[in-house]
Amino acid sequence: MSLILVANRAPVRQTASGWAPGLGGLASALLPVLEARGGAWVAMQEPDEDTPLAQPYPADEPAFAIRRVPLEVPEFEAFYQGMANRVLWPLAHYLVEHVEPDRTFRDAYRSVNRRFAHAALDLARQSGGRPTVWVQDYHMMLVPEMIRAGMPEARIGFFWHVPWPASEVFRILPSARDLLAGLLGADVLGFHTEGYAENFRESARDLLGAEIDGETVVWDGRRVRAEAHPIGIDVDHFQALARAPEAEADAASLRRDLGDVQIVLGVDRLDYTKGLLLRMEAYERFLERFPERHGTVSLLQIATPSRTGVPAYDRLRRDMDEASGRINGRFAKGAWAPVRYRYQSFDQPELAAFYRAADVAFVTPLRDGMNLVAHEFAAVSAASARAGGRPGALVLSELTGAADYLDGALMVNPYDADGLAGSLATALDMPEAERRERLDRLATAVRGLDVHGWAERFLASLDDDAA
């Protein structure tokens, strides 16, 4: 049966040679599913974006269609930059001080969600039969209820890709009950961890008066399952990147450029949820506590530009520039720079070279739904180690979804600067035998969470619900 996916972003990107699959994990997971089942992907068209509203894909032998919903500047600003990025995003990550409730945001959010739901309903009616609709993430919380109202027989799934906060945090939103009701239009709701699913069920109980029966929310005459379905990466793809001769050569070149030091690697979007400033503080504490390591270790921090123009993100960029400059000003000596800070985007082959070169991955978000950088590093470093390269160690925030699954990482509290500094020293000093043993455990865990299995498991659960 055909599948209709509803997501904020389209699964393809325009390149010099034509249209290609997107680089994100969602596209990697779901494009093969759509190609096998047929169907459509409903996505946003940003203002001034020069893309077709209706696009068969692939062009030469179409397997499915992409339907874009065009947004004008005011509704894009209020729906995406406003409600999604300045209300729902910080709230989900417990960073309440960044939440900016605004009635115009809520009105635009409902209006845009209705347009997405109508696009999905149009496609569902064209396909005939009983449609399966899978809605993705916090941008689309009202879509399940709207599709249910327009097509009660539809089979509807929803996946929440960020943390679901505790009930007392979620209820801060003036529209909390409306958003919960929107999600409960689905048949199956997926979350990365059982903790997030439990938080959702408690929110439905506390705010709507729903009954909870195991994993099921009973409300308004319907039974909705809220389940853990952890997502991963395309493991084979990243291991192939790790084994590429270019990755080996680029990793060796990077090591030479940095002066044959131990490399501590951070790879993040420039986002206040990633704990970047606290990470810089912890690294500064590390240099204060271990002066004998000066000249032997460098932090390579990659910060991918994100949400430019949003005041909180612009402030963070300035603060990161100041922090890296301050640390280098205090500790740099001769050719050695303790921090190499790169505010730019890198593609996956380039990231694979960074992962190969790193001795330690320093992954310390304040909150994260999963954190796929940890998965990528483990897959690449394990493949490199099996090919004779040096094995890397992973220092991982215990406040990420990945911490529930990645046995083998050194777990840390991202708010504890002294603890981070000590764990970093432990990781750098870790004997090779222990590195390899931990990395084997990480690689096994990452393989078990492969993104293609994630999609198959969720859709199988949705199919079981309809049986």
Side-chain angles (χ1 to χ4, degrees), residues 10 12 19 43-45 49 51-55 66-70:
V12 297
W19 290 94
M44 172 179 68
Q45 185 190 62
E49 182 183 333
T51 53
L53 293 181
Q55 180 183 9
I66 298 169
R67 173 76 64 85
R68 292 182 176 85
V69 177

Side-chain angles (χ1 to χ4, degrees), residues 277 280 315-328 341:
L277 288 173
M280 298 293 277
R315 285 195 301 272
L316 178 59
R317 181 183 178 184
R318 293 193 297 270
D319 290 343
M320 283 295 291
D321 288 338
E322 292 173 3
S324 60
R326 182 187 69 248
I327 294 170
N328 282 334
Y341 175 57

Side-chain angles (χ1 to χ4, degrees), residues 325-345:
R326 182 187 69 248
I327 294 170
N328 282 334
R330 285 188 65 189
F331 298 104
K333 186 175 181 180
W336 173 63
V339 177
R340 303 296 182 104
Y341 175 57
R342 301 189 181 183
Y343 174 71
Q344 63 187 102
S345 299

Side-chain angles (χ1 to χ4, degrees), residues 127-361:
S127 67
R130 183 184 182 188
T132 297
V133 184
W134 191 4
V135 186
Q136 305 290 327
D137 222 2
Y138 60 97
H139 311 87
M140 304 290 161
M141 295 177 75
L142 300 176
V143 170
E145 180 185 35
M146 293 170 172
I147 292 176
R148 178 72 59 200
M151 189 173 281
E153 72 275 17
R155 183 183 308 151
I156 305 170
F158 186 98
F159 198 88
W160 183 264
H161 288 271
V162 293
W164 188 280
S167 173
E168 61 268 24
V169 174
F170 186 73
R171 73 189 310 153
I172 290 170
L173 287 182
S175 54
R177 290 172 178 81
D178 289 341
L179 295 171
L180 282 168
L183 289 175
L184 288 169
D187 297 294
V188 178
L189 295 162
F191 302 85
H192 288 311
T193 74
E194 175 55 32
Y196 302 156
E198 180 64 21
N199 284 349
F200 172 82
R201 294 190 290 264
E202 290 179 355
S203 296
R205 181 196 65 199
D206 296 347
L207 276 70
L208 295 179
E211 178 186 344
I212 307 304
D213 180 12
E215 293 185 329
T216 301
V217 178
V218 184
W219 185 75
D220 198 28
R222 300 185 61 253
R223 296 176 64 85
V224 181
R225 294 208 313 275
E227 304 173 336
H229 288 277
I231 198 172
I233 61 169
D234 186 338
V235 177
D236 289 339
H237 171 67
F238 275 94
Q239 291 192 335
L241 292 177
R243 292 189 292 266
E246 297 83 1
E248 182 179 5
D250 290 347
S253 175
L254 177 63
R255 285 192 162 277
R256 287 192 301 271
D257 291 345
L258 294 186
D260 198 27
V261 296
Q262 286 185 289
I263 299 173
V264 178
L265 178 67
V267 177
D268 308 85
R269 283 189 311 105
L270 188 74
D271 192 290
Y272 50 72
T273 66
K274 302 300 182 182
L276 291 166
L277 288 173
L278 288 174
R279 186 183 308 165
M280 298 293 277
E281 178 186 338
Y283 181 65
E284 190 169 17
R285 191 74 54 86
F286 166 82
L287 294 173
E288 292 168 350
R289 287 178 54 186
F290 303 102
E292 69 277 9
R293 296 181 180 273
H294 295 185
T296 69
V297 178
S298 286
L299 170 64
L300 174 58
Q301 177 62 58
I302 295 167
T304 301
S306 177
R307 298 172 186 168
T308 55
V310 176
Y313 290 79
D314 293 341
R315 285 195 301 272
L316 178 59
R317 181 183 178 184
R318 293 193 297 270
D319 290 343
M320 283 295 291
D321 288 338
E322 292 173 3
S324 60
R326 182 187 69 248
I327 294 170
N328 282 334
R330 285 188 65 189
F331 298 104
K333 186 175 181 180
W336 173 63
V339 177
R340 303 296 182 104
Y341 175 57
R342 301 189 181 183
Y343 174 71
Q344 63 187 102
S345 299
F346 293 92
D347 61 23
Q348 289 178 345
E350 291 170 322
L351 289 175
F354 290 128
Y355 295 143
R356 279 197 62 146
D359 295 279
V360 176

